[in-house]
Amino acid sequence: MGNFLKKKNNRRNFLKKTALLSTAAAFSTFIPKKIKAAKSYNWKMVTTWPKNFPGLGTCAEIFAKMVNEGSDGKMNITVFGSGEIVPAFEAMDAVSSGAIEMGHGGPYYWKGKVAAAQYLSAIPFGLTPQEQNSWFEKGGGQEIADKIYEKMGCKFFVCGNTGPQMGGWYNKEIKTIEDYQGLKMRAPGLGGEVIKAAGGTVVNIHGGELLTSIQSGAIDALEWVGPYNDLAFGIHKAAKYYYYPGWHEPAAILDCFINLKKWNSLPNNLKKIIALSAKAATQQMTNEMIAGNNMALKTLLNKHGVKVKPFPDEVLKKLAILSNKVLNKLSSSDELSKKVYKSIIKFRNDSIKRSENQKKFLETRMKYVNYEK
Ligand code: CA
C-alpha cells in the first residue's frame, strides 16, 4: 500500500471514530443514566362486608385484583373485611380522614353524612340494574355522585350492582298494608323510610348480624339482597316466608370511595386503571349475581323448602303510593337530594315505555315457552 492510500485509510478511520463518538455523545445527552422507576402505591381498602362475602365482598377482591394486575404491580390494593381494621359503618370516616386510602360499601350507608347519598343506592320502584348502570354512565349520575362524595372528601365510582333484590324474609305473612304496623324490620335506605311510613320500625344491621338478630327475635323481618347472598347467611333457618319483588331495591349499586387528596395525587394511568376496573368489576358482579341467584333459589326451594311468595298487588300498590309521598318529602330537604332525585326520576320515566318490550318478553317466556332440557 502506498503512502497516499495509507493516509486515506487513516483519515477514513478517524472520521468513522469521530462519527461514533459524536453519536454516543448525542445519546448520552438525551438518555438519562438510569431510567427512573415509576412510583408504587400500596393502598388499603376497607369494606362494609365480611371478607370474601359472595358477590359483595368478592366484588371488592375482583376490583383490587384487576387494579393490581392491570397496573403490573404499580398499585397494590389490599382488601379488608368489616371489622378487620374498622367496623363496617366506620369505613367512610376512615377514608374521609385519609387514615385509609379507599373503601367499598353501599351509598345509603352514608346518608347520615350526606342525605343525597342514599338516592344513589336505589330508589323504591326505581331503576332496573341495566337502567341504573346506564343512568350513572349516560344519564349524569357519575357527575352528581362525584358532587355528593366530594362533600365527604372522596372520589366516587360505581363498583358492583346487586341486580334485582328480593322483598325480604318475614316471620309473619303480609296480607295487607296494615301488617307492617309495629313490624320490626332490618331495611336500610329509602325502602326503610317507606316501611316506617307504613307503620314499621326500621333498624339498620350490617350483614354479619342478620341471622342472630332474626333468630333471637330482635327483629321480625329483614331484607338483605337475594337468594345467593341470603342463602350464604343461612337466613332461611330463622325466617318463614321469602317475599318478592324487591320493590325497595329493584337494583342497588355498590360504591368505591377514594380519599380525594390521595386520588388527586395519582398519575393518570393509574386513575384510568381504577376507573376501568370498577366498571369491569360491576359487570362481573352483575353476571355473578344472576348465575348465583339461579342456583341458590333452586337450593332454597328444593333443599330447604322455603315458602317463596309474591306480595299481594294491593300491598304493592299502597307501598308505591307511600313511596311517592316519602320520596317527594325527603328529596325536598336539600338541594343535592332534590337534584339527584329529579335526575333519577326523569331517567326512570323515560325508561317506562321502552321497558314494555322487556316486560312482554319476560311474560311470554314464562307463560308459553318450555324448551326441552
Ligand atoms: Ca338490600
Side-chain angles (χ1 to χ4, degrees), residues 61-133:
E61 301 285 349
I62 287 164
F63 163 76
K65 193 163 180 270
M66 282 177 184
V67 174
N68 295 356
E69 290 178 0
S71 68
D72 203 16
K74 288 290 175 284
M75 164 144 267
N76 291 295
I77 299 170
T78 309
V79 179
F80 294 87
S82 56
E84 286 191 311
I85 299 182
V86 288
F89 297 146
E90 286 173 28
M92 180 56 81
D93 285 337
V95 176
S96 291
S97 70
I100 301 288
E101 291 87 1
M102 66 205 305
H104 190 248
Y108 54 34
Y109 291 148
W110 324 125
K111 70 174 182 181
K113 298 180 188 305
V114 182
Q118 60 192 327
Y119 299 85
L120 301 175
S121 283
I123 66 168
F125 302 97
L127 304 176
T128 67
Q130 293 87 347
E131 288 163 4
Q132 199 179 29
N133 290 341

Side-chain angles (χ1 to χ4, degrees), residues 108 165 186 223-225 248-249:
Y108 54 34
Q165 301 203 7
R186 183 268 179 192
E223 78 74 49
W224 176 234
V225 185
H248 62 298
E249 286 175 299

